[in-house]
Amino acid sequence: MEQMDWKILKEIAELEKTPQGAYNFRVNGALDARQVTANIDITSKTDKPGIDITVKPGTKGESVHIPVVLSQTGLTDVVYNDFYIGENADVDIVAGCGIHNTGCETSQHDGIHVFHVGKNARVRYVERHYGEGPGTGENILNPRTEVYLEEGASITMEMTQIRGVDSTVRDTVVEVAAGGECIINEKLMTDGTQTAESNVEIILKGAGATGRVISRSVGRGESVQVFRPCMTGQADCFGHVQCDSILMDQAKIKSIPAIDAQSVDAQLIHEAAIGRIAGDQILKLLTLGLTEEEAEEKILEGFLN
């Protein structure tokens, strides 16, 4: 791939060279490179754009990288990716999309991911979104993620978007069976006139199911963010929703956490906080020799990490 593509891959997947294990690189709406392993297979769909990723039962210590790069202005790319994770498997999946827009037209990627996670399997899913480029066209990313966890299965999802995306609508739905666990860590920053909407629903369906949503965001400029995390408990389960946001400049942030207890044994908690950077934090860093701008950046970096 071109030098620019590797720069974007480093941003979205922390890749500086071709990774070990299974991978599927998609560039400007088409397959660019692919590798499978004895335990992980990747095949192209025949009825629509996208891939099927199949992980054999019992697979341990392997990873799958499926990044997407758009460098063609005016391109709208839609993919449907389905993951079939076998029982007792333990895998890392690294996704994400990076857009380099040099023109005046909108570049857009919509990724629809569906996970079927077998009994007692564990998945760590990392998704990073990033935009850049000297063009005036918008960078738009609209991911939808559906997860179906069987008994005892778990997934940890790290979803990050902190630069260069003009508009995003993120929809995430997870169903957790008995003894299963879902943890979602979301980090988001908007600036200028950017907009971001995040809708997360975790449905705890079985006894002993647990769910956690931890969202941290920063709104700068005149950007607008809306969060709608919802935790539904249908059995003897535990769910926790936590949303923390820093508001700056003329930005607007709306957080609408919801908990829905459909069983007397469901234990559900939600917390939400929106505020500015504390003045004493800035002052402390100023006394260490930082400028006010440097102090703000340090505080934001620590908050999002």
Side-chain angles (χ1 to χ4, degrees):
M1 288 190 291
E2 300 295 331
Q3 181 77 22
M4 174 194 63
D5 294 332
W6 282 107
K7 177 181 180 298
I8 293 176
L9 283 171
K10 185 175 181 180
E11 292 284 349
I12 64 173
E14 296 184 342
L15 289 177
E16 296 182 343
K17 60 181 180 179
T18 303
Q20 299 293 318
Y23 60 79
N24 188 95
F25 291 175
R26 184 178 178 87
V27 178
N28 292 327
L31 173 65
D32 183 79
R34 175 181 295 167
Q35 177 170 286
V36 300
T37 71
N39 295 316
I40 301 176
D41 194 23
I42 303 174
T43 58
S44 299
K45 291 184 180 295
T46 57
D47 58 338
K48 53 189 174 183
I51 54 178
D52 291 329
I53 300 97
T54 303
V55 179
K56 288 183 178 181
T59 299
K60 306 288 184 182
E62 294 199 37
S63 63
V64 188
H65 288 78
I66 55 166
V68 173
V69 174
L70 297 185
S71 57
Q72 178 182 326
T73 188
L75 179 65
T76 296
D77 184 35
V78 181
V79 294
Y80 300 83
N81 297 334
D82 290 275
F83 303 80
Y84 301 92
I85 314 299
E87 293 185 9
N88 298 303
D90 190 338
V91 295
D92 291 347
I93 300 173
V94 182
C97 177
I99 299 177
H100 181 85
N101 196 341
T102 60
C104 59
E105 297 180 83
T106 295
S107 294
Q108 178 171 335
H109 175 73
D110 297 346
I112 297 91
H113 292 179
V114 180
F115 291 81
H116 304 273
V117 185
K119 289 183 179 180
N120 300 313
R122 300 176 63 85
V123 175
R124 176 177 175 266
Y125 176 66
V126 179
E127 178 185 272
R128 297 186 180 96
H129 286 167
Y130 169 76
E132 64 171 34
T136 59
E138 290 191 335
N139 300 327
I140 297 177
L141 291 163
N142 295 321
R144 177 174 176 81
T145 305
E146 299 178 15
V147 180
Y148 302 95
L149 298 176
E150 294 187 16
E151 183 178 343
S154 67
I155 189 168
T156 299
M157 308 173 71
E158 299 179 12
M159 309 169 87
T160 303
Q161 178 181 300
I162 59 174
R163 284 191 300 277
V165 178
D166 296 290
S167 173
T168 187
V169 178
R170 311 172 61 88
D171 292 317
T172 306
V173 180
V174 184
E175 294 187 2
V176 186
E181 180 181 50
C182 173
I183 299 173
I184 298 178
N185 293 294
E186 183 177 61
K187 292 182 281 188
L188 176 70
M189 183 160 64
T190 54
D191 204 346
T193 58
Q194 296 171 353
T195 62
E197 179 180 334
S198 179
N199 306 299
V200 178
E201 182 177 14
I202 297 180
I203 305 168
L204 306 174
K205 301 175 71 71
T210 60
R212 292 178 175 84
V213 178
I214 303 168
S215 175
R216 290 198 168 191
S217 75
V218 176
R220 310 173 84 167
E222 298 179 353
S223 62
V224 177
Q225 300 179 13
V226 180
F227 294 89
R228 298 186 183 90
C230 178
M231 189 75 65
T232 299
Q234 298 179 345
D236 179 3
C237 59
F238 176 81
H240 183 203
V241 176
Q242 179 181 338
C243 302
D244 295 319
S245 300
I246 290 178
L247 193 62
M248 303 175 68
D249 308 318
Q250 286 77 49
K252 297 178 181 179
I253 298 177
K254 181 183 292 186
S255 183
I256 314 169
I259 51 177
D260 180 1
Q262 299 178 6
S263 167
V264 294
D265 295 316
Q267 301 178 61
L268 307 176
I269 302 168
H270 78 67
E271 304 173 77
I274 301 174
R276 66 173 66 187
I277 296 176
D280 59 342
Q281 291 180 297
I282 294 285
L283 182 60
K284 183 176 180 179
L285 291 176
L286 291 179
T287 62
L288 297 176
L290 276 66
T291 66
E292 185 169 348
E293 183 177 291
E294 290 171 337
E296 284 187 352
E297 292 301 321
K298 284 291 183 183
I299 292 168
L300 296 182
E301 180 182 343
F303 175 74
L304 291 173
N305 290 331

